[in-house]
């Protein structure tokens, strides 16, 4: 079988090497991180894990910071790992992607 030919890409720009400043003001950034800490912390404490979109490097940095802060608050490690190109999972040990929290009960009416 023949290898696929490379496609011509149009309207594709390179990602800048230097960090891009956040479009949020310092106050908006502080409030957003506080909301992430509360909401994701609640979900992690209830389910052992939480996933959240991380489309940009800044989003990933925020989620890493939230995981670090939750770990400091709770006195146990909270990991932040990529699930795919666009999501990260914050989890307690033993509850990561593919862990116990991933197993869901079967839907009603299935055999």
């Amino acid at each position: 079988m023949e290898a696929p030919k490379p496609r011509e890409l149009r309207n594709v720009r390179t990602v800048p090497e230097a960090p891009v400043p956040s479009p949020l003001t310092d106050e908006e950034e502080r409030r957003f991180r506080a909301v992430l800490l509360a909401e994701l912390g609640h979900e992690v404490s209830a389910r052992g894990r939480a996933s959240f979109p991380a489309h940009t490097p800044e989003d990933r940095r925020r989620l890493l910071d939230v995981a670090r802060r939750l770990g400091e608050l709770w006195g146990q490690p909270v990991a932040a790992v990529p699930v795919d190109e666009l999501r990260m999972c914050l989890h307690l040990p033993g509850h990561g992607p593919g862990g116990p929290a991933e197993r869901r009960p079967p839907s009603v009416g299935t055999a």
Side-chain angles (χ1 to χ4, degrees), residues 21-43:
S22 174
L24 303 177
T25 65
D26 290 343
E27 176 64 17
E28 291 169 333
E29 183 71 30
R30 185 192 63 74
R31 289 180 11 212
F32 184 50
R33 285 179 188 244
V35 169
L36 284 176
L37 185 71
E39 295 295 321
L40 294 176
H42 176 71
E43 190 169 343

Side-chain angles (χ1 to χ4, degrees), residues 7 9 11 17 38 46-47 52 70-71 75-76 96:
R7 298 182 315 176
L9 300 176
N11 298 323
E17 296 278 332
R47 294 182 48 219
F52 197 78
L70 287 172
Q76 63 177 319

Side-chain angles (χ1 to χ4, degrees), residues 12-76:
V12 175
R13 292 182 242 148
T14 59
V15 177
E17 296 278 332
V20 178
S22 174
L24 303 177
T25 65
D26 290 343
E27 176 64 17
E28 291 169 333
E29 183 71 30
R30 185 192 63 74
R31 289 180 11 212
F32 184 50
R33 285 179 188 244
V35 169
L36 284 176
L37 185 71
E39 295 295 321
L40 294 176
H42 176 71
E43 190 169 343
V44 170
S45 69
R47 294 182 48 219
R49 66 180 297 277
S51 68
F52 197 78
H55 297 278
T56 65
E58 184 60 34
D59 291 338
R60 290 185 279 282
R61 280 191 286 276
R62 282 185 194 111
L63 293 174
L64 289 169
D65 182 56
V66 166
R68 181 189 54 77
R69 290 175 59 195
L70 287 172
E72 290 171 358
L73 287 170
W74 295 342
Q76 63 177 319

